[in-house]
Amino acid sequence: MTREIVLYMLILSIYVTGCSSDRQSREDLPYIDIGKEYPEKEIDLTHIADVTYLYLNAESDEYLYKGTIDYVSKNKIVVIDRASGSVLFFSKSGNPTSRFNRRGQGPEEYPSIYSVMYDETTDDVYVTPDFSDFVNVYSSTGEYKRKLTLPQRNINGQTVIFDDRSILVYDDSRLWQNIMKKNVEDHSDFSEQVHDSSFFLISNTDGKVLDYIKMTTNNIDISSKRSNVSFGLINYGRVRKCPDGLFLYNPETDTVFLYGKDKSLTPYMRKEPLLSNLDIKMVMDICMDAGSFQFMSVIPYTETGGSSSVKYYMRDKKTGEIFRQKLIIPDYQGKEFFIDPRQQNYYETGCHIELDLIELKEAYRENRLSGQLKELAANLNENEDNNIFMLIEFK
């Protein structure tokens, strides 16, 4: 056998082994088969998590808000009042601690707020405006600190604090460019892609790109069309915290990756069948790992972007059992809950659920509440007070 043939056979064997290893590693991952009809299972949340109730006390009208919890740190709850553009801070006991409003068009102001993050150790509040290429940083009392300039305008991107010097960014401008080029003749509003990946780390001091994260992707269209002239993206979860680092996800590839605290990238969970093999697309959202369970959701793709048929699942990490979520609490008879894994990417091992005060007062009058929840509902006015939240920390 000639030297050239031996070399060719060696290269071929390495390639085949690599492909086989990739298939094997994917097959070894935990997965959800959306072709199966998983049973529903009722679980008392208090059996798998510590549940506490939180009422964000409005001592004055300045702390009444239209919105929900936007960030949770070790000791603080952060809320954006969408109506006024104010950022409100409460203690974990629900008492107001500070607030600020820097809405405006000035160099140290924000025209709007898309999202907020809070680093309690440095008292840095990261405010990201809608459709912007920058993030402004303030103190929790509104003192302007600095501006982080992003590589380009980010439409509905997702960010999460990674460590004490960097923020991980998911930038969806690449997807938006593809949509613009496909749907409209004039897409001059979007410049060509200027960065190497949709996932990257930026400095939390100046916004400079520190590292690009190479993620495989498939050219599958999951944009939505609401009319002949209107189009958009369903806001799938792309980044969320977990105990070992961050989960990163391109729903087009059907695989969730773990980005470790050491910056390693490894497959973590998958969906079957592949999106590319489906006539009617069913898209898995990002997963959540908390306590003894993994939480998942599957969204039917529709051209109009509707998601009324979302299915929420749980997987027992010890047994591998998968079932539909039906979560209850003893203090609220007749009420069912589910954990949405796409929300609350600032929690590592928990989440929160908002309880509508109007529904709570009705349940109170029907004698369906008990314990601390009943005591809270009894003293609140559905027309004047903020809603109650359940803070859930999985065991």
Side-chain angles (χ1 to χ4, degrees), residues 66-78:
K66 293 183 179 179
T68 186
I69 290 177
D70 289 276
Y71 205 84
V72 179
S73 64
K74 182 179 180 180
N75 298 297
K76 294 293 180 66
I77 305 290
V78 187

Side-chain angles (χ1 to χ4, degrees), residues 277-297:
N277 295 335
L278 293 173
D279 294 328
I280 300 176
K281 295 182 177 65
M282 297 290 290
V283 184
M284 182 178 77
D285 213 319
I286 199 165
C287 68
M288 170 181 169
D289 189 316
S292 300
F293 298 94
Q294 294 152 332
F295 298 86
M296 303 158 285
S297 64

Side-chain angles (χ1 to χ4, degrees), residues 111 120 181 312:
E120 190 173 317
K181 291 176 180 179
Y312 297 95

Side-chain angles (χ1 to χ4, degrees), residues 226-286:
R226 296 174 180 84
S227 68
N228 291 333
V229 295
S230 177
F231 46 87
L233 286 173
I234 299 174
N235 197 24
Y236 299 106
R238 304 283 182 161
V239 184
R240 76 157 298 128
K241 280 189 175 181
C242 68
D244 297 320
L246 302 176
F247 287 140
L248 307 183
Y249 185 44
N250 274 328
E252 300 89 344
T253 62
D254 302 286
T255 304
V256 176
F257 289 83
L258 171 63
Y259 187 63
K261 296 178 181 179
D262 60 354
K263 300 184 180 180
S264 59
L265 187 68
T266 54
Y268 176 81
M269 176 175 282
R270 64 186 173 91
K271 174 186 75 73
E272 293 289 347
L274 292 173
L275 194 60
S276 56
N277 295 335
L278 293 173
D279 294 328
I280 300 176
K281 295 182 177 65
M282 297 290 290
V283 184
M284 182 178 77
D285 213 319
I286 199 165

Side-chain angles (χ1 to χ4, degrees), residues 106-119:
E108 296 184 0
E109 298 173 323
Y110 46 81
S112 61
I113 306 179
Y114 173 71
S115 65
V116 65
M117 298 186 299
Y118 181 50
D119 187 336

Side-chain angles (χ1 to χ4, degrees), residues 177-233:
Q177 284 178 6
N178 293 336
I179 292 173
M180 294 289 286
K181 291 176 180 179
K182 182 181 67 175
N183 288 280
V184 299
E185 294 183 3
D186 180 12
H187 43 80
S188 57
D189 283 346
F190 285 78
S191 60
E192 289 301 315
Q193 192 75 19
V194 298
H195 48 77
D196 296 336
S197 172
S198 295
F199 295 89
F200 50 89
L201 293 174
I202 63 170
S203 165
N204 61 15
T205 59
D206 59 10
K208 180 181 178 180
V209 176
L210 302 175
D211 194 18
Y212 290 109
I213 303 167
K214 299 294 186 180
M215 295 272 290
T216 58
T217 187
N218 293 333
N219 188 24
I220 298 175
D221 183 10
I222 54 174
S223 62
S224 61
K225 293 181 181 179
R226 296 174 180 84
S227 68
N228 291 333
V229 295
S230 177
F231 46 87
L233 286 173

Side-chain angles (χ1 to χ4, degrees), residues 370-389:
S370 58
Q372 183 192 6
L373 187 58
K374 181 178 181 179
E375 294 176 9
L376 280 172
N379 297 312
L380 297 178
N381 186 314
E382 60 263 50
N383 298 316
E384 299 177 0
D385 292 312
N386 294 322
N387 286 335
I388 294 174
F389 293 89

